[in-house]
Amino acid sequence: MKEFSGKSVVAGVAIGRIHIFRKQEYVLGKRSIEDTEREVTRFRDACEEAKQQLAQIYAAALKDVGEEHASIFSVHQMMLEDPDYLEAVETLIRREKVNGEYAVTMTGKRFAELFSGMEDAYFQARSADILDISNRVIRILAGIRESGIRSEDPVIVVADDLTPSETVQMDKSRILAFVTRYGSGNSHTAILARTMNLPSLVNTNIELLEEYHGKMAVVDSFHNRLILDPDDATLEEQRKSLESWRRELALLSELKGRENVTRDGRRIDIYANIGNAADLPRVLECDAGGIGLYRSEFVYLGSQDYPTEEEQFVAYKTVVEGMKGKKVIIRTLDIGADKQAHYFGLPKEENPAMGLRAIRICLSRTDVFKTQLRAIFRASAFGTCSVMFPMIISLWEIRRIREIVEEVKAELRAEDIPFGSVELGIMIETPAAVMMSDELAKEVDFFSIGTNDLTQYTLAIDRQNESLEVFYDAHHPAVLRMIQKTVENGHKNGIWVGICGELAGDPELTETFLAMGVDELSVSPAYVLPLRKRVREL
Ligand code: PEP
Ligand code: MG
């Protein structure tokens, strides 16, 4: 038994096997290939290996869960022999001279879309299977090892660090916890872990040793530690703690359907932050009043190429429709800095947090911006939808945005495409926006304060840099005064003001935010009910 210490970013307990995640295992991008016949052979070999894996899984599942549930794995084996699928991948490799990983990704996606668009429920259900078999082949092609763990068993992922796109591309149903050697509590990976409500540690003093792969471990992020190879007594104790954590969660669920109101009658909206449509069930589960921040860039990060208007429309509509009339605030593309999508071809910058990112990309690439706005406006016809813009610093930006929005609306009208009435808001996440909030408030319908970036830019502390944590004070008075000023200027001009950065979920500040008059707090789904509890106690 061995113990490692880390910093908890999501508290909880997870018991399971370790999966060492190494960066070089994921080489899924597009590469050009000279010898296409060799690549085709590599693809065929990967399919053979995938079928062998599936045969083993089938045999194990037959024992564990019986024929009825195991049969899916034999269906998967058959799908890997489907001539249309195989031919589509091979043609793509030969015609476009691309690597197998890319060809399988694109073909899997195309077939999955085809199936999901079919009337027949049986074929619709095959859409997920196509993605599943494609992912298996991709993992084999990319050399992502699964030995020691049957891939269907959820695991504790241990990595040096994870980028948002790596995190978003992982199959969440197979993850019990995240443990990273680096990373800060405010990084986007920590935010994603919070959205998934998976116990997580960053800054952990564990090495990525081969021998740890597949070993039993406990992540006890309540006590900032990972226990490797726990002995029986420790395991027993941790199982009890897991049970009591689950009971606590069950108690919180009694607050569903209750109001967010203090004992003296002050109400506040509590919304949820999400990264993509897959997070929707968690939002419904936690009874959030709406979605206060839909980080739409994750639609881009989960994609190998620019997502089309149609793809985006489907993603946004799923969320807007799924919220059944409750408000959904979609934040436009906030890419750049730590959130990189290779196909944007963004220049390497000395100082990316202050570089070409977020609204700056959208205002420089209006084609990309308009495609996204069209998708958002089209989705707005299916519920209540607002849009907000990140990283604003100047008045002219919002005026230019409004012009582009008007162009998009005029196009949609001319094409007879319906859209709803959409509130336009901005994120207040730069000191410039705070200082200009009086004037900016006259141009928009709401403010949402992004405390993650606002803290980074106010304190001049890189949110990604864990070595600055001694200097980092999440409750720094400068940041709190910025929030207060923004709320005052918003209210003076008759607009509502929310907070959607991580600070919104900090229970030590709930009272302060209520006193400041903040109208809405938007937090990771797992924090909605604890926050409701906090508000009701005040
Ligand atoms: C923020 O900066 O506080 C915010 C909510 O946006 P993001 O964390 O996605 O940068
Ligand atoms: Mg931000």
Side-chain angles (χ1 to χ4, degrees), residues 188 293 295 331 339 427 429 450-453 463 500-501:
H188 280 98
L293 169 63
R295 290 184 163 94
R331 192 257 305 272
K339 290 180 282 193
M427 293 195 65
E429 51 184 349
T451 49
N452 308 332
D453 279 314
R463 65 193 269 188
C500 64

Side-chain angles (χ1 to χ4, degrees), residues 46-273:
C47 287
E48 282 310 311
E49 193 178 331
K51 283 191 280 180
Q52 279 170 19
Q53 282 183 1
L54 285 162
Q56 281 171 10
I57 297 171
Y58 174 78
L62 202 58
K63 265 201 262 134
D64 292 349
V65 291
E67 166 66 24
E68 193 195 340
H69 296 294
S71 64
I72 186 65
F73 299 112
S74 63
V75 173
H76 280 194
Q77 287 178 67
M78 286 191 299
M79 288 172 101
L80 276 169
E81 285 166 2
D82 179 76
D84 288 339
Y85 177 76
L86 298 177
E87 198 189 314
V89 176
E90 293 179 11
T91 310
L92 200 60
I93 295 176
R94 291 193 177 105
R95 201 184 55 216
E96 296 197 13
K97 291 183 180 299
V98 288
N99 54 326
E101 291 90 330
Y102 178 77
V104 176
T105 306
M106 299 316 278
T107 308
K109 222 166 130 184
R110 191 160 64 78
F111 274 59
E113 268 166 22
L114 218 76
F115 278 121
S116 67
M118 289 184 180
E119 292 273 304
D120 189 312
Y122 174 81
F123 284 111
Q124 282 179 1
R126 296 287 74 77
S127 166
D129 295 320
I130 280 281
L131 289 178
D132 206 354
I133 60 155
S134 301
N135 285 338
R136 179 173 301 283
V137 175
I138 293 166
R139 285 199 298 269
I140 295 168
L141 281 168
I144 297 166
R145 169 211 35 223
E146 292 189 314
S147 63
I149 303 171
R150 220 180 65 208
S151 63
E152 272 57 32
D153 288 337
V155 290
I156 295 170
V157 173
V158 178
D160 270 331
D161 198 5
L162 293 164
T163 65
S165 54
E166 282 164 347
T167 320
V168 82
Q169 283 174 30
M170 285 185 185
D171 179 351
K172 280 95 196 157
S173 65
R174 298 198 180 150
I175 301 170
L176 291 171
F178 285 117
V179 175
T180 62
R181 297 180 68 206
Y182 309 108
S184 76
N186 242 351
S187 66
H188 280 98
T189 301
I191 292 171
L192 279 171
R194 252 171 236 137
T195 308
M196 299 176 214
N197 199 18
L198 292 175
S200 301
L201 296 171
V202 295
N203 238 334
T204 315
N205 61 349
I206 186 169
E207 277 180 71
L208 300 194
L209 298 183
E210 203 55 38
E211 63 194 72
Y212 295 162
H213 188 76
K215 285 221 162 143
M216 268 310 274
V218 175
V219 174
D220 170 15
S221 47
F222 283 115
H223 300 98
N224 298 304
R225 61 183 176 160
L226 176 136
I227 307 164
L228 184 77
D229 249 344
D231 58 27
D232 287 348
T234 312
L235 209 52
E236 190 47 34
E237 184 196 328
Q238 291 298 327
R239 285 209 176 103
K240 282 191 191 138
S241 137
L242 182 60
E243 275 312 304
S244 94
W245 180 46
R246 288 193 178 138
R247 271 198 304 276
E248 228 171 84
L249 292 177
L251 269 182
L252 274 177
S253 75
E254 287 173 11
L255 288 175
K256 285 183 203 171
R258 307 279 184 90
E259 286 187 280
N260 311 309
V261 60
T262 61
R263 279 148 70 171
D264 59 350
R266 165 99 166 83
R267 266 161 236 280
I268 188 159
D269 285 326
I270 303 181
Y271 287 4
N273 294 348

Side-chain angles (χ1 to χ4, degrees), residues 309 374 378 407-419:
E309 176 182 325
R374 279 180 64 98
R378 283 174 58 195
E407 285 169 28
V408 165
K409 282 164 66 174
E411 274 172 30
L412 292 174
R413 272 190 212 103
E415 293 165 43
D416 256 344
I417 298 177
F419 56 88

Side-chain angles (χ1 to χ4, degrees), residues 477-523:
V479 176
L480 297 179
R481 284 184 204 181
M482 293 241 177
I483 296 173
Q484 180 150 30
K485 185 177 174 74
T486 305
V487 175
E488 280 168 12
N489 281 336
H491 287 176
K492 205 165 74 187
N493 289 284
I495 65 168
W496 66 264
V497 184
I499 303 178
C500 64
E502 296 304 288
L503 217 51
D506 184 338
E508 287 175 28
L509 289 174
T510 313
E511 195 165 9
T512 309
F513 292 151
L514 281 160
M516 286 180 182
V518 172
D519 302 288
E520 174 243 30
L521 296 169
S522 192
V523 294

